[in-house]
Amino acid sequence: MIALYIIAGIFLGFFTTGLIGMITQKGDTTQFAGRLMMAFVGGVGGHLLFNLVYVV
């Protein structure tokens, strides 16, 4: 179950800059390394959300 939260956080983090670019109707110029860092942050956020929901 925790893997689902982490994977969802990774996908959300990776595609966040693209979604913001679509909403604001501007081009997405984020480099791949920046997207990987956002994916890492999203994975950590998914892990923390799992701990908040199921452990606490």
Side-chain angles (χ1 to χ4, degrees), residues 16-29:
T16 296
T17 56
L19 290 172
I20 292 172
M22 286 177 14
I23 291 169
T24 60
Q25 296 179 352
K26 296 184 179 186
D28 182 21
T29 59

Side-chain angles (χ1 to χ4, degrees), residues 27-52:
D28 182 21
T29 59
T30 307
Q31 295 178 354
F32 187 68
R35 286 180 177 255
L36 288 179
M37 285 190 293
M38 289 296 292
F40 176 77
V41 170
V44 170
H47 185 273
L48 293 176
L49 181 63
F50 175 83
N51 286 337
L52 180 70

